Amino acid sequence: RADTLTAHYKKGPNGKNQIWKVVGAGNVLILSGSDKITGQQAVYLIEPGIFTITGNNLKIDNGKRTITARDRIEYRSKQQIAYVVGKAKAVEDKRTISADRFVAHFKKGKGGKTEMSKVDAVGNVVIMTEKEVVRGDKGEFDNETRIATLTGNVRVTSGDNQLNGAKAIVNMKTGVSRLVATKNERIRVLIKPGEGGGGLDI
């Protein structure tokens, strides 16, 4: 749906005109299962089943979880994948995941509705829970287990305390994270005492 829809035709194999592209302008709304995708402009390529949505108010919303972006959302309906580019952010139950870009994977759920199964986050990944903030270079969120895994320059901040390492596992249900050491990198902890001088670097 949009304020204006423009259909583009071409000659088909049987010589008849057929629509190969639809362009929407103004208040674009795309419905896919339980997800609503909104933006200001959209281009739909019918044969490959690809939607590209740009403009303000870029959002994928299913009522419980919202995914927003600054630059574009590209939804590939046949592969059930969405590319969310530019300050990508997912918000659910007062917990957020943000990154430079997301790759969101969908699948058929109960009743045949499309549900998000996994999100791959790349670049400046930040997870915020009610208890702490976790940062890393890359992240993967499993929607079924509600577990997020961050890798690359991982930092876990809780109040004035900080843990650094190569990998963190965050339980988005409980908001509790676990830092995991690797063969090449140990965990470093900076604890700031309640009173007195500097912190303790372990």
Side-chain angles (χ1 to χ4, degrees), residues 46-144:
I46 294 176
E47 186 173 346
I50 298 175
F51 295 88
T52 302
I53 306 98
T54 57
N56 297 325
N57 193 33
L58 291 175
K59 183 187 297 184
I60 304 175
D61 190 348
N62 75 347
K64 296 181 179 179
R65 172 256 310 142
T66 61
I67 296 176
T68 58
R70 180 194 61 195
D71 297 338
R72 78 175 190 276
I73 294 175
E74 181 181 304
Y75 179 61
R76 303 192 174 199
S77 59
K78 291 186 177 181
Q79 291 83 17
Q80 296 190 23
I81 294 176
Y83 296 90
V84 184
V85 182
K87 292 187 177 180
K89 179 185 287 187
V91 180
E92 184 174 357
D93 295 333
K94 296 182 180 180
R95 298 181 174 94
T96 66
I97 303 175
S98 61
D100 292 341
R101 62 186 185 275
F102 289 159
V103 180
H105 302 260
F106 298 85
K107 68 175 185 179
K108 292 293 183 181
K110 296 180 180 179
K113 292 185 177 181
T114 301
E115 298 177 352
M116 187 179 70
S117 61
K118 185 179 72 169
V119 172
D120 296 321
V122 180
N124 299 305
V125 181
V126 180
I127 294 179
M128 298 183 65
T129 71
E130 294 178 322
K131 299 180 180 179
E132 56 199 7
V133 178
V134 187
R135 295 177 172 86
D137 295 335
K138 295 182 180 180
E140 181 179 298
F141 172 63
D142 189 314
N143 195 45
E144 293 183 3

Side-chain angles (χ1 to χ4, degrees), residues 116-201:
M116 187 179 70
S117 61
K118 185 179 72 169
V119 172
D120 296 321
V122 180
N124 299 305
V125 181
V126 180
I127 294 179
M128 298 183 65
T129 71
E130 294 178 322
K131 299 180 180 179
E132 56 199 7
V133 178
V134 187
R135 295 177 172 86
D137 295 335
K138 295 182 180 180
E140 181 179 298
F141 172 63
D142 189 314
N143 195 45
E144 293 183 3
T145 62
R146 315 296 294 161
I147 297 295
T149 303
L150 273 70
T151 56
N153 299 310
V154 173
R155 290 167 292 160
V156 180
T157 304
S158 179
D160 293 327
N161 302 320
Q162 181 171 302
L163 293 83
N164 299 336
K167 181 179 180 180
I169 299 173
V170 184
N171 188 322
M172 298 297 285
K173 286 183 180 179
T174 62
V176 176
S177 63
R178 178 166 56 95
L179 205 61
V180 181
T182 65
K183 292 182 179 180
N184 299 324
E185 187 172 350
R186 295 187 301 171
I187 298 171
R188 297 176 66 252
V189 183
L190 179 64
I191 301 174
K192 184 176 181 180
E195 297 180 357
L200 175 63
D201 191 358

